[in-house]
Amino acid sequence: YTKERSSIVVIGLSIHTAPVEMREKLAIPEAEWPRAIAELCGLNHIEEAAVLSTCNRMEIYVVALSQHRGVKEVTEWMSKTSGVPVSEICEHRFLLYNKDATQHIFEVSAGLDSLVLGEGQILAQVKQVVKVGQGVTGFGRNISGLFKHAITVGKRVRTETNIASGAVSVSSAAVELALMKLPRSCHNSAKMLVVGAGKMGKLVIKHLVAKGCTKMVVVNRSEERVSAIRDELKDVEIIYKPLSEMLTCAFEADVIFTSTASDTLLFTKENVHDLPPVSQEVGGLRLFVDISVPRNVGTCVADVENSRVYNVDDLKEVVAANKEDRIRKAMEAQEIIGEESKQFEAWRDSLETVPTIKKLRAYAERVRVAELEKCLSKMGDDISKKTKRAVDDLSRGIVNKLLHGPMQHLRCDGSDSRTLDETLENMHALNRMFSLETEISVLEQKIRAKVEQNQK
């Protein structure tokens, strides 16, 4: 299998393939992405890696030196770090290779794979993968190239199509869902509580205001973010409360939105049980709309009388409404993605010549050194250092001059398909002429080095 070309592989679970209960166990916080990349690249058959972990997906992108072995190693790593058995991960994961993996990340970045078509937050999250990956050893040439190209695709699709017009985010879909569940007569009078004032929480607040809400309570760890939102949204009464007063605020709330990074539950059956019933004017039900992954509201809260719990998976109800429009917009975006996928694949193909360049240089250097030693031995022991250096420089000069032409014909950036085809033909010709394919492959060298390193 060392004759294989290394593959780009995505091993993922998304809102389309796995329930939130599983996704939250596998979720990796952004602060831990560098550690995850380092651990993944420590596996025998993984050379590069990146993690994309959001409320709707947990996807691991790798350059695998062997597809089958790489997937097995990554899946076992996911199981080890999350505590989810391999069999369960296999039941819900999806696997994509090379062109399909490229197509997938481009669709993700363009907002085509999102629950909410064209939503803008996913492009920001893809950009964050590149930002966090800068300087991390395992975030290598292929994976960083893939993600940077995905950002270009995301921008092009949003600029050249109307996919983002009227597009909603997870936060706005959460507000829509809450309003769908409330009687229309109380949309402006229902008491709203937002727990968490990060990016998602801020968007919830903005969408509530856009829907006519003029007063709400916001619970957050610190007041700084809430004050900034208050300054931005004039004529709206935003009351800040610290996290310690969350349950007191919940006493008076009809609708509670949660969007914090807490990895423990904020609302459980026990603490919700003591909350007083809400007014019949708002339907007599207290609504918990939880858009956090891991979740902030326990599923058992739904067992409490007059309480209803909704999480990110329930937003499908809001999205189902505009299905035809989604399909039409997606077709426009797919044309751009098709073009960009070809460009990226051509760039990857152009990297294929790198091992040949290395092997040709190594071959030429071995011949040079062997012939130099023969020459010096014939010249005897009494030659000066200056003469030795002159002969050495001469041999290097001849080799470099001879290699210059072949090397020029092996270099290509992939932007021109004709040039790329010629370059690959040249590569195969040089491999045949100098029997370079009989040498130990670069792939095999890498795998041996990794296995030896892991055995130490």
Side-chain angles (χ1 to χ4, degrees):
Y1 69 88
T2 55
K3 299 294 177 216
E4 292 178 18
R5 173 186 175 180
S6 60
S7 305
I8 290 179
V9 185
V10 56
I11 300 114
L13 297 98
S14 76
I15 196 163
H16 308 298
T17 69
V20 67
E21 290 85 355
M22 176 167 281
R23 297 199 311 274
E24 68 185 0
K25 288 176 188 169
L26 288 151
I28 301 173
E30 188 185 304
E32 291 180 33
W33 291 356
R35 176 191 59 79
I37 291 170
E39 287 182 10
L40 286 162
C41 291
L43 302 172
N44 283 344
H45 296 87
I46 303 301
E47 190 176 15
E48 299 178 27
V51 176
L52 177 61
S53 185
T54 74
C55 60
N56 284 340
R57 66 187 69 252
M58 207 305 269
E59 297 174 356
I60 290 176
Y61 292 79
V62 295
V63 171
L65 301 170
S66 159
Q67 283 186 5
H68 172 70
R69 290 168 178 82
V71 167
K72 184 172 181 287
E73 287 171 1
V74 172
T75 307
E76 286 169 354
W77 178 87
M78 289 166 79
S79 173
K80 184 180 154 194
T81 54
S82 65
V84 177
V86 167
S87 58
E88 279 185 45
I89 293 173
C90 291
E91 192 183 331
H92 293 281
R93 78 181 176 191
F94 63 87
L95 297 172
L96 296 168
Y97 304 95
N98 296 317
K99 288 179 183 175
D100 292 335
T102 301
Q103 173 93 1
H104 176 72
I105 184 61
F106 288 2
E107 287 176 357
V108 166
S109 188
L112 290 192
D113 196 61
S114 299
L115 183 60
V116 179
L117 187 84
E119 57 102 356
Q121 201 169 7
I122 187 64
L123 179 56
Q125 288 159 334
V126 171
K127 286 179 181 175
Q128 200 58 22
V129 171
V130 174
K131 189 178 175 184
V132 172
Q134 297 301 329
V136 177
T137 307
F139 190 70
R141 185 189 218 170
N142 289 274
I143 292 291
S144 69
L146 177 68
F147 272 81
K148 284 172 183 172
H149 210 117
I151 293 167
T152 303
V153 173
K155 287 177 180 174
R156 260 197 80 187
V157 166
R158 285 169 177 80
T159 307
E160 297 175 32
T161 74
N162 64 347
I163 198 164
S165 62
V168 283
S169 62
V170 169
S171 302
S172 67
V175 171
E176 290 287 347
L177 180 69
L179 296 179
M180 280 167 66
K181 303 299 178 186
L182 286 172
R184 185 169 289 278
S185 58
C186 72
H187 279 193
N188 294 342
S189 58
K191 294 169 185 168
M192 303 289 182
L193 169 62
V194 180
V195 182
K199 287 178 189 172
M200 304 275 271
K202 183 180 178 180
L203 286 171
V204 167
I205 295 164
K206 283 187 167 182
H207 288 295
L208 283 171
V209 172
K211 292 292 179 183
C213 178
T214 56
K215 181 181 177 180
M216 68 193 79
V217 177
V218 179
V219 168
N220 197 51
R221 206 170 267 122
S222 67
E223 191 173 1
E224 193 180 347
R225 281 185 175 174
V226 181
S227 298
I229 296 168
R230 196 188 289 128
D231 293 341
E232 197 178 322
L233 304 171
K234 309 291 183 192
D235 307 320
V236 180
E237 191 181 350
I238 297 174
I239 302 158
Y240 164 74
K241 294 289 179 184
L243 209 54
S244 56
E245 293 181 34
M246 182 187 71
L247 286 175
T248 312
C249 298
F251 255 76
E252 296 178 14
D254 302 320
V255 182
I256 299 168
F257 295 93
T258 58
S259 63
T260 80
S262 171
D263 51 10
T264 55
L265 294 174
L266 300 181
F267 290 99
T268 60
K269 188 175 180 179
E270 290 71 32
N271 58 28
V272 170
H273 196 272
D274 299 329
L275 299 181
V278 299
S279 142
Q280 285 304 316
E281 286 178 24
V282 292
L285 295 172
R286 178 176 279 106
L287 307 181
F288 291 86
V289 185
D290 182 11
I291 54 173
S292 310
V293 177
R295 287 170 295 173
N296 291 167
V297 182
T299 43
C300 53
V301 169
D303 299 335
V304 177
E305 196 177 354
N306 301 327
S307 292
R308 292 289 180 274
V309 178
Y310 303 98
N311 60 47
V312 282
D313 288 4
D314 297 308
L315 301 181
K316 290 172 184 172
E317 191 179 335
V318 178
V319 175
N322 60 351
K323 199 171 182 183
E324 283 179 22
D325 191 39
R326 283 163 60 89
I327 292 166
R328 186 177 53 75
K329 287 178 176 177
M331 284 169 72
E332 295 172 19
Q334 283 293 2
E335 287 182 27
I336 294 170
I337 288 169
E339 279 174 39
E340 295 287 350
S341 293
K342 282 180 186 169
Q343 279 189 29
F344 179 75
E345 288 306 317
W347 174 76
R348 268 206 88 208
D349 286 342
S350 74
L351 300 182
E352 264 201 74
T353 62
V354 174
T356 299
I357 289 171
K358 286 181 178 174
K359 285 195 278 189
L360 184 58
R361 277 202 172 282
Y363 170 77
E365 179 62 9
R366 285 199 304 276
V367 171
R368 184 191 75 81
V369 169
E371 293 305 313
L372 178 67
E373 283 175 0
K374 278 187 201 171
C375 171
L376 292 175
S377 66
K378 285 177 183 174
M379 293 171 78
D381 297 332
D382 54 347
I383 57 167
S384 67
K385 281 186 182 178
K386 189 178 177 183
T387 306
K388 274 187 183 178
R389 196 177 306 117
V391 175
D392 185 72
D393 289 345
L394 174 69
S395 66
R396 284 180 195 277
I398 292 169
V399 166
N400 288 339
K401 286 269 192 315
L402 287 172
L403 286 181
H404 180 72
M407 290 301 177
Q408 288 295 99
H409 287 84
L410 284 178
R411 289 198 168 90
C412 164
D413 63 2
S415 57
D416 175 0
S417 61
R418 185 186 57 80
T419 313
L420 175 62
D421 290 342
E422 282 178 14
T423 304
L424 294 177
E425 275 179 35
N426 295 336
M427 178 189 81
H428 294 308
L430 283 166
N431 277 331
R432 284 194 304 274
M433 278 188 259
F434 293 100
S435 305
L436 299 178
E437 281 169 346
T438 61
E439 296 193 14
I440 182 168
S441 75
V442 173
L443 209 61
E444 190 173 342
Q445 287 174 35
K446 286 176 181 175
I447 295 168
R448 283 185 179 178
K450 271 181 162 289
V451 171
E452 282 168 16
Q453 190 180 345
N454 290 338
Q455 283 174 346
K456 283 177 184 174

